[in-house]
Amino acid sequence: MPTFEELLASAQQSAIHLEMRDGYMPSDPAFAAWKEGKLTDPVGGDADFQQWLDWVEQASGRGVEFRRARVISVPESDYIRFEHFSSQANVEAGENIRWLPRRRATDIALPGNDFWVFDNELVLVLHFTGDGELADRELTRDERVLRLCTSAFESVWERAVPHEDYRLS
């Protein structure tokens, strides 16, 4: 299984990501610091987040289009509020982010897991524990999975609110 960095480095045109959970990685020290009111800079000296931003900048510089869509519950969970706080750094690095309140996604067929699609041909499925920790990754080129993921993403993207316009409840 290639690393995420390798997958991203191999992308030539696009990287799309659909997130559908209201919480991720409760063990993340940056999330804990934010909840305690100690994190005022989204990057906050977080080496992993800075590395992510560097990868996005490098890929964007090669012409890779990044789109991230989030299906979220309203009112937003603490973790979604944290993501909103840190998302401007993602946008500045080259990501285009949109937010879709879950109530507006009822009639969209969504896969059971979050995913990435690279260059409209390779799907990275992300499996999380109930608590939101990453448990496993699965890579597939299965056409049915690819069609479902890209269709779901585009349906969410079409309805979602651009990051710069989304206001937390």
Side-chain angles (χ1 to χ4, degrees):
M1 171 76 76
T3 66
F4 190 83
E5 181 181 11
E6 292 167 336
L7 290 169
L8 199 53
S10 69
Q12 299 300 309
Q13 299 168 356
S14 64
I16 61 173
H17 183 37
L18 184 60
E19 297 177 3
M20 298 176 286
R21 298 180 54 89
D22 286 322
Y24 296 89
M25 304 173 298
S27 63
D28 181 356
F31 176 52
W34 176 83
K35 279 178 63 174
E36 295 169 5
K38 297 178 181 175
L39 184 65
T40 57
D41 172 7
V43 179
D46 183 335
D48 290 337
F49 188 40
Q50 184 59 60
Q51 183 177 51
W52 168 254
L53 298 174
D54 291 344
W55 293 346
V56 171
E57 286 177 355
Q58 291 166 11
S60 294
R62 293 192 325 270
V64 175
E65 177 188 26
F66 275 85
R67 294 187 296 156
R68 179 189 302 254
R70 294 178 170 134
V71 178
I72 58 167
S73 297
V74 176
E76 298 85 355
S77 68
D78 283 347
Y79 195 86
I80 295 301
R81 290 177 176 283
F82 167 68
E83 280 192 326
H84 191 270
F85 164 77
S86 61
S87 287
Q88 189 56 39
N90 295 69
V91 169
E92 290 170 7
E95 286 191 55
N96 193 346
I97 299 174
R98 292 188 182 181
W99 306 81
L100 181 64
R102 195 172 308 284
R103 285 182 164 263
R104 296 187 54 214
T106 301
D107 62 341
I108 299 174
L110 297 170
N113 297 290
D114 290 11
F115 61 85
W116 282 89
V117 176
F118 300 98
D119 293 333
N120 201 32
E121 62 183 36
L122 182 64
V123 181
L124 175 65
V125 180
L126 304 172
H127 299 282
F128 291 91
T129 65
D131 290 338
E133 298 292 344
L134 184 61
D136 196 13
R137 303 177 318 141
E138 175 185 351
L139 208 51
T140 183
R141 292 181 187 274
D142 182 301
E143 284 295 322
R144 292 175 305 133
V145 173
L146 178 62
R147 278 194 308 273
L148 174 61
C149 291
T150 55
S151 173
F153 181 88
E154 294 303 335
S155 294
V156 168
W157 189 258
E158 184 178 293
R159 292 184 191 179
V161 178
H163 176 70
E164 60 272 8
D165 297 329
Y166 186 77
R167 302 294 173 256
L168 297 170
S169 62

